[in-house]
Amino acid sequence: MTDEEPAENISGGTAGGGQSATFDPETAGTRAETVVDRLGEMYWTKTYGGRDAFECLVRTILSQNTSDKASQPAHDDLMARYGGGEDTNSEGNINSTDLARALADADQPELAETISSAGLYNQKSERIIALAQRICEEYGGEAGFDAFVRDSDSEKVRSTLLDMNGVGPKTADCVLLFAGGRGGVFPVDTHVHRIARRMGLAPADADHETVRAYLERDVPAAKCGFGHTAMIQFGREYCSARKPACLDDPDACPLAGHCDQIGVYPAADDVVDPSETA
């Protein structure tokens, strides 16, 4: 089992890798929990939390509709230009740079150019600036927003995030997990959505929110975080959308014994979205 998730993972790699945790696979009470335990043995078992909430929000928006390979450089360039440093005021005192305030005052074309590798950069830059302005107005900056995400009721935080333009369920859940450290949060991205339905852990025609409900019901709260990140890695390595490992060789997938192969037809060398089988 590897000690750290790769840097391209949405959790932020070594910068937001969480703390190692130990779980006993023999105690699994559901098939979904068994799958998550096996993924933990393959990759990592970690509890998450502690990342800056606003940076996590920005990072997840940059990842929307693109790959981590494209969005990670955009995040790095954004942080290099707008955050993570100190400035000196007119009296010579050193102040820490507030990322939210820096982005609230950012020039939109300049920000768009900075994050251009992430794609949809005009739309994303406009959203990020608007979010930064709202967070400065309502929470006084990133420190206040961090406290809100960390300390407020989970459902209140989620509903508030979902009320923000450009923030969908996956983005809200990533903030709750990686910044808020909330147990029982299983963000559903395209990999998780595909794999859960393909394996039969959720109905074949389930939407993202329904998949989330099934996984959060069947996976213990402490395992949802690493279940999310490990399932993403499994999707990249074994259970891709068009060429899952089992298509050519049933024994090539380490989770073959736990999978219903919904929408995968090795005899016909064909793969369809699970919803097409419902």
Side-chain angles (χ1 to χ4, degrees):
M1 182 177 68
T2 57
D3 184 53
E4 297 176 346
E5 65 269 48
E8 66 267 20
N9 200 289
I10 190 61
S11 68
T14 56
Q19 301 295 319
S20 295
T22 303
F23 300 99
D24 182 4
E26 299 300 321
T27 64
T30 65
R31 187 157 67 99
E33 183 180 2
T34 298
V35 167
V36 167
D37 283 342
R38 178 69 183 104
L39 290 171
E41 292 174 335
M42 291 170 58
Y43 300 113
W44 48 74
T45 55
K46 292 192 174 187
T47 56
Y48 295 102
R51 292 193 64 192
D52 293 336
F54 181 66
E55 182 185 347
C56 186
L57 178 60
V58 170
R59 174 67 182 87
T60 312
I61 288 173
L62 290 173
S63 74
Q64 293 172 350
N65 302 112
T66 192
S67 67
D68 286 333
K69 183 178 181 180
S71 64
Q72 186 66 49
H75 168 265
D76 294 343
D77 291 342
L78 180 149
M79 292 303 298
R81 175 167 284 183
Y82 298 100
E86 297 177 334
D87 59 20
T88 303
N89 63 20
S90 58
E91 299 177 352
N93 297 319
I94 297 176
N95 299 317
S96 296
T97 302
D98 186 299
L99 179 64
R101 292 191 180 279
L103 288 171
D105 296 333
D107 176 68
Q108 187 271 326
E110 180 181 84
L111 177 57
E113 179 185 3
T114 303
I115 64 171
S116 59
S117 66
L120 299 175
Y121 45 85
N122 282 319
Q123 180 186 74
K124 290 178 181 180
S125 59
E126 291 172 355
R127 286 179 175 176
I128 288 170
I129 290 171
L131 286 170
Q133 291 171 344
R134 175 171 173 173
I135 284 166
C136 288
E137 291 170 2
E138 296 185 10
Y139 304 99
E142 60 180 329
F145 183 62
D146 283 344
F148 168 71
V149 170
R150 184 176 61 251
D151 301 330
S152 298
D153 175 76
S154 181
E155 287 303 314
K156 179 181 180 181
V157 175
R158 192 172 196 267
S159 63
T160 299
L161 289 168
L162 291 174
D163 184 55
M164 296 179 176
N165 183 36
V167 177
K170 187 205 81 169
T171 299
D173 290 335
C174 283
V175 173
L176 280 170
L177 175 63
F178 298 119
R182 306 304 177 100
V185 178
F186 204 123
V188 176
D189 76 333
T190 183
H191 294 287
V192 175
H193 185 236
R194 175 182 71 254
I195 293 166
R197 294 176 301 131
R198 182 178 281 172
M199 297 189 77
L201 304 180
D205 58 352
D207 60 15
H208 284 65
E209 285 289 80
T210 302
V211 168
R212 180 180 71 89
Y214 270 79
L215 293 174
E216 291 182 358
R217 181 195 70 184
D218 294 341
V219 177
K223 299 182 179 182
C224 286
F226 77 79
H228 162 72
T229 55
M231 193 173 287
I232 290 173
Q233 191 63 19
F234 176 72
R236 291 173 175 151
E237 292 188 9
Y238 292 99
C239 200
S240 63
R242 300 307 310 165
K243 196 71 173 176
C246 62
L247 191 63
D248 295 327
D249 180 4
D251 296 326
C253 178
L255 292 181
H258 305 292
C259 183
D260 290 346
Q261 285 188 299
I262 306 297
V264 181
Y265 306 103
D269 192 32
D270 191 26
V271 179
V272 300
D273 187 272
S275 63
E276 297 182 31
T277 71

